[in-house]
Amino acid sequence: MTHNKASRCGVPLTCCDSSPLQSSKNWRAAVDLTGRLLTAHGQGYGKAGQPTSHTTDSLQLWFVRLSLLTKLNLFQNAELECEPFGNLDQPDLYYEYYPTVYPGRRGSMVPFSMRLLHAELPQYLGKPQEALDRLYNLKTICLAILENLEKGLAEDGSMITLAQENRQASLTLWRSRLSRVMYSMANCLLLMKDYVLAVETYHSIIQYEPQQRVQLLSGIGRIFLQIGDVKTAERYFQDVEKAYQMKGSNFSHATCVLMNRAFVYLSQNNYADAHATFLEVLKIDPKNPVANNNAAVCLLYLGRLKESLGQLEGLVQQDPALYLHESVLFNLTTMYELESSRSTQKKQALLDAVACREGDSFNTQCLKLV
Amino acid sequence: MRLTKPTLFTNLPVTCEGRDLPGDLFAQLMREDPSTIKGAETLMLGEMLTLPQNFGNIFLGETFSSYISVHNDSNQVVKDILVKADLQTSSQRLNLSASNTAVAELKPECCIDDVIHHEVKEIGTHILVCAVSYTSQFGEKLYFRKFFKFQVLKPLDVKTKFYNAESDLSSVTDEVFLEAQIQNITTSPMFMEKVSLEPSMMYNVTELNSVTSRDQGESTFGKMSYLQPMDTRQYLYCLKPKTEYAEKAGVIKGVTVIGKLDIVWKTNLGERGRLQTSQLQRMAPGYGDIRLSLEVIPDTVNLEEPFDIVCKITNCSERTMDLVMEMCNMRSIHWCGISGRQLGKLTPGASLLLPLTVFSSEQGLQVRSRPSEATFYSCFIGYLMFSVICFRAFLD
């Protein structure tokens, strides 16, 4: 079905074409499909260096291809394919370059998400400073545009007046883009282990995304736990409790508060209370996968290997869609190896379970079969 | 399996906007992913705990925790299983297992579990020896051992420097400042929970590593509450000899024991480590038998105008001294007074205040010193002005 569509050149793409492949997580197949579709557009394999004719559709295809490569952790491939685009500001990436195709339209054809991906990529290739530079550049642009909008100008600073709802929509859009860029920056700083700056950046997101305050404060608390500064982590978790008490009983906040408490118990070597607290989370939210996984982990530290294994295996069997996840499988295989030197059989069984459910993108390293 | 603390699973967020080709797909995938934070899926640091994947490094002062599991792989019941875990270092052998009684029987596919903890107190090779003895179904007594070797490394590099303060002109006692340089030589960041100096009997200590402002104590290190690998921090302590010890000898001399540093640190998820240095020693500055200090001296003086200073001479030896003072003029500093004066006898530990008048014939900061000769004692004085007073001491 999709092959036929690919063979027709210049077909305007809708997301229906590739989404069946994507939603079943067959990303490798999806990447191949984008390759074929791009070739149909006159770009793609072997076409680097030839005169280009980008369209918004072809750029979207490129974006999908690059983001899938990133999801597959094929960062070097993604970087190589990004290179011909330079810094995404070449003239042939602007509407004005194609006056016959897009008469009267101005601005960049590059999707913002693609700019973000392009900025984030270097950090996965051991060049986090370059990623930070690109992200800061993006942040500056977002801030400039927001300033223009707030002053009553158009996004690019020109004196075009916008209708009220257009202005509001634009403000909302660019605010969300700004906080997305800031998330990327904070994540990059965390990857670089620059904890002081990472914490500051996460903190500054709160003013743009106040509804994520609880999650951000909890996240910062966890960073301090990773450093070993349990006291400061507790202070942040107390802030979360205060925010939770002020807002009233929000279901997800209650679990957040309990999770944080459990992590503090863990940091104090109190595995028994940590386990009990994770069970309390399950009383509120029985299907919470994090609480289920973490409770099983605590059991191991309490010397109850069999129980822990039983719990995790049960979860995988009951709800494979949720629990055939890299982190859970890492834990399972680690415990199989601890249990017996004949763990290969059990790991093989896991591989079989994964094969019939997951797509071609599953990272089988977590099964530690080699 | 070594039980270091678990780690938090991190995600790699890939997002797009609604207007992009994938539409809501990426966002949906992230929402469905069990390891993301609900409501803030782009937050990288999740809440899923992952068990340790390898042994990692272990450092002196940390606690070695390990899971020991004996699993019956066969299809027969096994009886009288005794599990013993010992830790063998280069100097000793320690028993680590909690229970010493044998387990009656172990059915197939069942296991005996134990979690052991041991605070590592030695550097170098350690061997965990697990010995299992059991009786098979047929009454055969069997025994096997497994060895797990690991190295314990040094986590911190501690250097100490002493600074003597002769600044306190009014008291006999000297303050000693201890600067401790602590370097993190591990591969992960360390949170320094406590670095304190436990003084020896003779001293009182004040730590100078926090600033109190508005009832809140803040560390001098500010926001950097942790040490990155290879980073160094300097901690400062001020030690004052206790009054009873200061008066006793007049001045403390020779090699004295200052105290020891107690360092507690934490790493990932509260993994704790603790080290104490050995007793730190300080060689007191050699004053010899006589100590000369300036008690009173003006900051600035006018050229060729006489001014008064007060010196204090302390007898630091065990014998009574009979002092004679001779004044030697330098090129720029001239004495006003009688040279060759008898100062009287000075008992051990006692001191004598000596008012003198001096004037200077040259502008600028005067700094002088003169090497001592056999029967003359010369001393190095004060900050702004130096002069050399030579005197001979007649000893009993």
Side-chain angles (χ1 to χ4, degrees):
Chain A
M1 139 201 72
T2 41
H3 293 265
N4 290 336
K5 287 195 179 158
S7 63
R8 280 186 273 152
C9 291
V11 168
L13 270 192
T14 59
C15 61
C16 300
D17 289 343
S18 42
S19 83
L21 281 174
Q22 289 185 9
S23 55
S24 63
K25 296 195 206 161
N26 284 310
W27 294 326
R28 284 179 198 272
V31 170
D32 289 340
L33 179 59
T34 56
R36 288 200 294 277
L37 289 169
L38 281 167
T39 317
H41 269 258
Q43 301 179 24
Y45 305 112
K47 296 262 175 32
Q50 300 206 345
T52 53
S53 62
H54 294 293
T55 63
T56 47
D57 288 336
S58 71
L59 283 173
Q60 283 289 341
L61 270 177
W62 274 113
F63 166 63
V64 169
R65 185 179 170 83
L66 291 169
S67 52
L68 290 177
L69 284 172
T70 309
K71 267 184 160 339
L72 286 166
N73 290 1
L74 294 170
F75 307 118
Q76 269 174 334
N77 296 48
E79 192 193 33
L80 276 170
E81 298 195 7
C82 248
E83 240 183 87
F85 288 99
N87 63 349
L88 300 174
D89 276 325
Q90 290 158 331
D92 63 350
L93 293 169
Y94 280 81
Y95 286 117
E96 291 94 319
Y97 197 77
Y98 310 99
T100 47
V101 184
Y102 302 106
R105 278 192 82 168
R106 292 164 58 228
S108 170
M109 299 197 297
V110 178
F112 186 82
S113 313
M114 188 162 161
R115 285 189 189 273
L116 188 73
L117 191 64
H118 169 256
E120 286 177 330
L121 212 48
Q123 70 184 292
Y124 307 124
L125 290 157
K127 296 179 278 185
Q129 197 54 53
E130 204 177 311
L132 265 183
D133 289 341
R134 292 181 185 180
L135 287 167
Y136 264 100
N137 199 21
L138 268 181
K139 181 182 175 190
T140 315
I141 295 173
C142 291
L143 283 170
I145 292 179
L146 277 172
E147 204 184 308
N148 285 339
L149 284 170
E150 274 154 14
K151 273 197 236 166
L153 306 167
E155 290 91 340
D156 56 357
S158 55
M159 299 283 282
I160 303 172
T161 43
L162 298 169
Q164 185 55 25
E165 63 243 17
N166 286 351
R167 174 187 308 284
Q168 201 50 51
S170 197
L171 272 169
T172 316
L173 175 68
W174 282 100
R175 279 204 191 109
S176 74
R177 285 178 174 178
L178 176 65
S179 47
R180 179 67 187 87
V181 172
M182 286 171 74
Y183 261 114
S184 287
M185 272 165 42
N187 289 344
C188 184
L189 286 164
L190 199 57
L191 206 75
M192 289 164 77
K193 296 196 200 284
D194 191 339
Y195 299 112
V196 175
L197 274 179
V199 164
E200 263 180 45
T201 315
Y202 280 125
H203 220 287
S204 55
I205 299 177
I206 296 179
Q207 52 174 305
Y208 294 102
E209 304 277 355
Q211 77 283 9
Q212 292 178 347
R213 185 191 168 84
V214 164
Q215 290 94 332
L216 281 164
L217 287 175
S218 303
I220 294 174
R222 286 197 299 280
I223 295 178
F224 280 106
L225 283 183
Q226 274 198 317
I227 300 172
D229 189 351
V230 183
K231 269 215 177 65
T232 311
E234 280 181 292
R235 271 212 324 262
Y236 274 94
F237 292 150
Q238 269 164 21
D239 280 345
V240 172
E241 280 206 51
K242 276 191 220 137
Y244 160 62
Q245 277 156 6
M246 282 191 325
K247 275 182 171 285
S249 55
N250 182 331
F251 160 90
S252 69
H253 291 180
T255 53
C256 223
V257 167
L258 284 170
M259 287 282 206
N260 295 341
R261 206 176 292 164
F263 285 125
V264 173
Y265 284 137
L266 259 180
S267 306
Q268 294 165 341
N269 290 338
N270 187 348
Y271 296 103
D273 279 341
H275 180 241
T277 316
F278 285 126
L279 290 181
E280 273 191 52
V281 176
L282 290 169
K283 280 197 205 124
I284 305 178
D285 184 10
K287 283 197 173 281
N288 189 317
V290 178
N292 271 313
N293 172 69
N294 292 358
V297 166
C298 288
L299 280 176
L300 184 72
Y301 284 84
L302 290 168
R304 290 147 71 176
L305 172 62
K306 271 273 187 265
E307 267 184 75
S308 177
L309 263 177
Q311 194 170 342
L312 275 184
E313 279 178 328
L315 291 167
V316 172
Q317 273 167 12
Q318 275 167 33
D319 198 347
L322 197 55
Y323 288 98
L324 280 178
H325 183 272
E326 215 176 308
S327 56
V328 176
L329 292 173
F330 252 128
N331 291 341
L332 255 180
T333 48
T334 307
M335 287 200 268
Y336 283 150
E337 286 173 354
L338 172 62
E339 183 193 36
S340 149
S341 39
R342 301 208 193 128
S343 54
T344 323
Q345 217 176 357
K346 295 200 181 179
K347 289 196 227 171
Q348 191 71 42
L350 276 180
L351 180 63
D352 293 335
V354 161
C356 49
R357 291 205 60 92
E358 294 291 314
D360 60 9
S361 63
F362 191 81
N363 180 10
T364 48
Q365 271 188 354
C366 62
L367 294 173
K368 299 194 274 187
L369 282 165
V370 179
Chain B
M1 181 186 119
R2 183 181 171 204
L3 288 177
T4 36
K5 290 276 168 87
T7 46
L8 291 166
F9 192 78
T10 52
N11 289 296
L12 207 153
V14 174
T15 55
C16 71
E17 295 174 338
R19 61 181 67 184
D20 292 323
L21 186 56
D24 191 44
L25 182 66
F26 287 164
Q28 191 193 339
L29 284 170
M30 284 179 68
R31 282 194 298 266
E32 287 171 355
D33 187 327
S35 65
T36 53
I37 303 289
K38 303 299 165 264
E41 283 82 7
T42 44
L43 192 61
M44 199 171 88
L45 190 63
E47 293 174 320
M48 283 278 230
L49 291 170
T50 319
L51 290 171
Q53 296 303 305
N54 51 41
F55 190 91
N57 286 321
I58 184 160
F59 298 98
L60 183 66
E62 290 186 333
T63 303
F64 170 65
S65 303
S66 182
Y67 198 106
I68 299 179
S69 169
V70 179
H71 186 252
N72 185 350
D73 278 346
S74 72
N75 51 10
Q76 304 169 3
V77 178
V78 167
K79 294 195 198 313
D80 293 329
I81 307 102
L82 184 62
V83 183
K84 258 184 28 113
D86 288 336
L87 193 63
Q88 174 85 43
T89 65
S90 50
S91 61
Q92 53 180 328
R93 191 184 185 103
L94 300 149
N95 183 352
L96 297 178
S97 37
S99 65
N100 283 313
T101 52
V103 176
E105 68 169 20
L106 189 62
K107 296 199 172 63
E109 295 303 314
C110 294
C111 53
I112 298 174
D113 306 293
D114 194 13
V115 179
I116 50 122
H117 305 281
H118 170 73
E119 193 178 319
V120 175
K121 296 195 176 76
E122 286 176 57
I123 296 186
T125 312
H126 286 60
I127 308 176
L128 179 66
V129 184
C130 295
V132 182
S133 63
Y134 60 101
T135 312
S136 76
Q137 210 180 34
F138 311 108
E140 224 185 315
K141 277 203 187 331
L142 297 158
Y143 173 82
F144 71 93
R145 280 194 306 182
K146 274 204 156 176
F147 300 88
F148 305 95
K149 199 158 114 168
F150 58 93
Q151 290 289 341
V152 173
L153 307 164
K154 209 171 106 168
L156 297 170
D157 204 15
V158 181
K159 292 196 183 78
T160 52
K161 268 198 228 174
F162 287 101
Y163 297 93
N164 303 306
E166 287 196 44
S167 54
D168 205 331
L169 300 175
S170 55
S171 69
V172 177
T173 62
D174 307 78
E175 289 178 335
V176 178
F177 288 93
L178 168 66
E179 178 193 309
Q181 285 185 359
I182 300 181
Q183 186 185 28
N184 172 5
I185 50 178
T186 68
T187 46
S188 53
M190 267 180 169
F191 172 69
M192 305 307 282
E193 192 174 66
K194 180 178 88 138
V195 178
S196 62
L197 180 64
E198 282 170 23
S200 65
M201 276 192 315
M202 300 197 317
Y203 288 94
N204 283 325
V205 72
T206 335
E207 65 100 21
L208 298 169
N209 302 307
S210 55
V211 177
T212 12
S213 60
R214 286 184 277 144
D215 302 326
Q216 259 197 335
E218 204 196 310
S219 156
T220 49
F221 304 105
K223 282 192 192 155
M224 285 295 285
S225 56
Y226 58 96
L227 266 181
Q228 292 279 28
M230 296 306 138
D231 275 359
T232 311
R233 255 194 195 179
Q234 289 136 314
Y235 287 87
L236 196 59
Y237 301 92
C238 177
L239 293 137
K240 278 197 178 70
K242 290 189 186 150
T243 36
E244 54 267 28
Y245 288 98
E247 281 163 10
K248 194 170 128 196
V251 88
I252 294 166
K253 36 184 209 178
V255 172
T256 49
V257 165
I258 298 289
K260 53 186 175 165
L261 276 174
D262 188 10
I263 307 170
V264 179
W265 73 90
K266 289 223 170 104
T267 52
N268 178 44
L269 281 186
E271 195 99 64
R272 188 176 177 270
R274 183 183 184 174
L275 270 185
Q276 281 189 334
T277 61
S278 49
Q279 290 284 356
L280 300 166
Q281 291 176 333
R282 165 201 173 225
M283 189 71 180
Y287 293 123
D289 290 333
I290 290 183
R291 184 182 162 191
L292 180 72
S293 61
L294 266 184
E295 294 296 299
V296 177
I297 185 167
D299 281 343
T300 51
V301 293
N302 287 326
L303 202 60
E304 292 173 4
E305 261 182 37
F307 59 93
D308 294 322
I309 61 171
V310 177
C311 294
K312 185 160 103 176
I313 303 168
T314 314
N315 180 359
C316 305
S317 72
E318 308 290 311
R319 302 152 287 192
T320 313
M321 288 184 171
D322 200 359
L323 296 171
V324 167
M325 185 186 68
E326 275 187 24
M327 295 175 175
C328 310
N329 282 337
M330 299 276 103
R331 200 168 53 103
S332 56
I333 298 175
H334 310 271
W335 296 100
C336 306
I338 302 168
S339 181
R341 217 175 4 137
Q342 284 256 349
L343 293 177
K345 286 197 167 41
L346 200 60
T347 50
S351 54
L352 167 70
L353 285 172
L354 194 62
L356 297 165
T357 314
V358 193
F359 74 89
S360 173
S361 60
E362 266 180 31
Q363 272 181 310
L365 205 62
Q366 303 297 322
V367 178
R368 286 292 168 147
S369 74
R370 198 177 141 182
S372 62
E373 293 170 25
T375 52
F376 292 91
Y377 293 90
S378 64
C379 305
F380 205 65
I381 299 176
Y383 335 115
L384 296 169
M385 288 197 64
F386 291 88
S387 60
V388 174
I389 301 176
C390 313
F391 51 90
R392 276 180 286 159
F394 291 101
L395 306 171
D396 273 349

